[in-house]
């Protein structure tokens, strides 16, 4: 069984159980009462404290005093011990919550994006992790990420990228939508100069309403090709405009919330095959945590470049404390709720 360890402020890692035993004695300043509280023997508790003292190379309790008293080193360690114990509790709670949570991934997408080919590939590789879909508008393509509605979102650029990771995927041709009896219908493609005399609508608030107006003969409309396809009608035609600015589709997520399932889905979208997949066969562990414990060559190279740079923390609790790894979104939300209720 893996022993949970906490990182002290000096960078030393110690067994969390030893810290718990020390902290209980420090709280009660009485070995027998502390042993009773911990439901262990007095001898076992003394052994734990001596083991901790041996690992740290200091005495934590003044054994010359008539009553149990902390030494200066003991008082200094107590705050560190409490922090380490609290982090371990959060880690255990996060693991339990993650295991209890339904295994799924929420995908949002703007109009015009077809996700079918990617979802089929996902279902073949990861049939136990369900995909949930949140079709939306271009206006809420990013907000669904911040609101926790979606893990990943297919967006149409440009978007506000602050706090996001954004990977461009492909460009879309712009087309002009016109009534079917319009002279435009006679061409295979056009240029913007060909439309110089037309009343052109761009970026309408409501595409269906705009197409309705076009069908009624009120001007023409410029749209991304995929969006125009969504609103195909018998009374309108769409033709490519060869020199019109293209639009670009990208996939985005909150940069601090990347998980292994998200990274795997992004890999599928970018064309990563099963053979080339970086996934280890499981997609239920945070990708950053996997990187943290992998001892990657890239990390080692970075350390050689800057020897003063602090190495990555050696466990999850330390990684969270140092900012290398953030708790999962649902864990952060739970912690905020606890703080509001005054729970520590």
């Amino acid at each position: 069984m893996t022993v949970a360890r906490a990182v002290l402020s000096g960078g030393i890692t110690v067994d969390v159980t030893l810290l718990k035993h020390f902290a209980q004695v420090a709280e009660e300043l009485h070995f027998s009462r502390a042993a009773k509280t911990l439901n262990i023997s007095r001898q076992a508790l003394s052994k734990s404290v001596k083991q901790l003292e041996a690992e740290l190379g200091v005495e934590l309790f003044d054994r010359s005093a008539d009553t149990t008293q902390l030494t200066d080193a003991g008082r200094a360690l107590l705050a560190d011990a409490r922090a380490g114990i609290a982090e371990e509790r959060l880690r255990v709670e996060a693991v339990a919550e993650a295991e209890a949570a339904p295994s799924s991934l929420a995908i949002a997408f703007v109009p015009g994006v077809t996700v079918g080919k990617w979802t089929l590939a996902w279902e073949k590789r990861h049939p136990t992790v369900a995909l949930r879909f949140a079709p939306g508008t271009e206006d809420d393509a990013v907000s669904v990420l911040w609101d926790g509605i979606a893990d990943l979102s297919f967006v149409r650029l440009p978007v506000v990228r602050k706090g996001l990771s954004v990977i461009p995927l492909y460009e879309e041709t712009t087309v002009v939508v016109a009534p079917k009896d319009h002279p435009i219908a006679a061409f295979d493609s056009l240029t913007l100069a060909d439309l110089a005399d037309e009343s052109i609508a761009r970026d309408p608030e409501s595409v269906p309403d705009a197409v309705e107006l076009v069908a009624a003969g009120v001007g023409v409309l410029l749209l991304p090709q995929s969006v125009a396809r969504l609103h195909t009608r018998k009374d309108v035609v769409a033709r490519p405009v060869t020199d019109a600015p293209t639009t670009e589709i990208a996939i985005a997520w909150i940069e601090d919330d990347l998980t292994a399932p998200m990274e795997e889905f992004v890999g599928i979208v970018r064309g990563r095959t099963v053979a080339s997949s970086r996934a280890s066969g499981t997609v239920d562990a945070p990708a950053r945590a996997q990187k943290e414990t992998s001892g990657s060559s890239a990390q080692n190279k970075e350390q050689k470049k800057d020897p003063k740079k602090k190495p990555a923390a050696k466990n999850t609790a330390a990684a969270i404390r140092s900012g290398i790894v953030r708790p999962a979104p649902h864990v952060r939300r739970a912690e905020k709720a606890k703080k509001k209720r005054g729970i520590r």
Side-chain angles (χ1 to χ4, degrees):
M1 188 175 76
T2 303
V3 176
R5 300 184 71 84
V7 180
L8 304 181
S9 55
I12 302 172
T13 65
V14 296
D15 185 342
V16 173
T17 299
L18 299 183
L19 288 181
K20 290 179 179 178
H21 291 179
F22 158 73
Q24 194 62 47
V25 178
E27 294 286 348
E28 302 199 31
L29 292 177
H30 198 285
F31 274 81
S32 295
R33 286 200 296 268
K36 187 175 182 180
T37 301
L38 293 167
N39 197 29
I40 61 175
S41 70
R42 170 72 167 77
Q43 291 77 12
L45 182 56
S46 295
K47 183 178 179 181
S48 287
V49 171
K50 287 179 181 178
Q51 183 180 338
L52 183 58
E53 289 177 324
E55 289 187 15
L56 300 179
V58 296
E59 287 193 353
L60 301 173
F61 295 98
D62 185 355
R63 290 172 172 77
S64 65
D66 294 333
T67 58
T68 302
Q69 296 294 328
L70 284 166
T71 62
D72 290 341
R75 281 187 286 272
L77 176 63
L78 185 56
D80 244 4
R82 287 169 174 162
I85 293 167
E87 285 178 351
E88 173 62 13
R89 184 179 68 250
L90 288 178
R91 187 193 69 80
V92 171
E93 289 176 355
V95 170
E97 187 172 350
E99 290 176 349
S103 184
S104 65
L105 194 62
I107 311 294
F109 53 92
V110 294
V113 174
T114 304
V115 299
K117 60 181 179 181
W118 300 316
T119 60
L120 287 175
W122 177 269
E123 288 168 359
K124 288 180 180 178
R125 297 188 203 180
H126 306 291
T128 61
V129 182
L131 294 179
R132 295 182 290 111
F133 300 101
T137 67
E138 293 185 23
D139 291 337
D140 61 19
V142 171
S143 64
V144 292
L145 295 173
W146 293 111
D147 293 341
I149 297 171
D151 300 303
L152 296 162
S153 181
F154 288 93
V155 301
R156 185 169 279 108
L157 300 179
V159 296
V160 177
R161 298 193 180 205
K162 185 176 181 180
L164 298 180
S165 289
V166 179
I167 297 179
L169 299 173
Y170 59 87
E171 291 186 343
E172 284 192 290
T173 300
T174 297
V175 300
V176 58
V177 180
K180 71 173 185 176
D181 55 358
H182 194 285
I184 285 175
F187 294 84
D188 292 329
S189 63
L190 302 100
T191 65
L192 290 173
D194 296 328
L195 304 176
D197 297 330
E198 300 292 337
S199 175
I200 302 175
R202 305 168 188 260
D203 302 321
E205 290 187 7
S206 169
V207 174
D209 290 347
V211 173
E212 184 70 38
L213 291 174
V214 167
V218 185
V220 296
L221 176 64
L222 291 180
L223 289 174
Q225 190 170 42
S226 65
V227 177
R229 285 199 190 105
L230 285 178
H231 301 280
T232 299
R233 297 169 45 140
K234 293 181 179 179
D235 49 2
V236 298
V237 294
R239 297 291 184 266
V241 182
T242 57
D243 60 347
T246 59
T247 59
E248 195 166 17
I249 296 297
I251 189 167
W253 64 91
I254 297 176
E255 62 183 0
D256 291 327
D257 289 347
L258 181 65
T259 64
M262 292 163 61
E263 187 176 31
E264 177 72 358
F265 188 84
V266 171
I268 288 174
V269 170
R270 299 184 72 186
R272 193 183 304 153
T273 63
V274 175
S276 65
S277 176
R278 288 177 294 173
S280 61
T282 176
V283 293
D284 58 358
R288 288 175 182 259
Q290 290 176 349
K291 292 177 182 177
E292 172 204 343
T293 57
S294 65
S296 67
S297 58
Q299 198 174 59
N300 294 336
K301 289 178 182 177
E302 189 66 24
Q303 188 69 22
K304 289 179 181 178
K305 288 181 183 177
D306 185 0
K308 293 182 180 179
K309 185 174 181 181
K310 293 181 179 179
K314 296 182 180 178
N315 60 28
T316 304
I320 291 172
R321 179 162 62 185
S322 63
I324 295 170
V325 177
R326 294 181 71 196
H330 62 276
V331 176
R332 296 203 302 273
R333 289 194 291 269
E335 284 305 304
K336 287 180 181 178
K338 286 182 180 179
K339 287 179 179 178
K340 287 182 179 179
R341 297 197 301 269
I343 299 174
R344 294 187 180 276

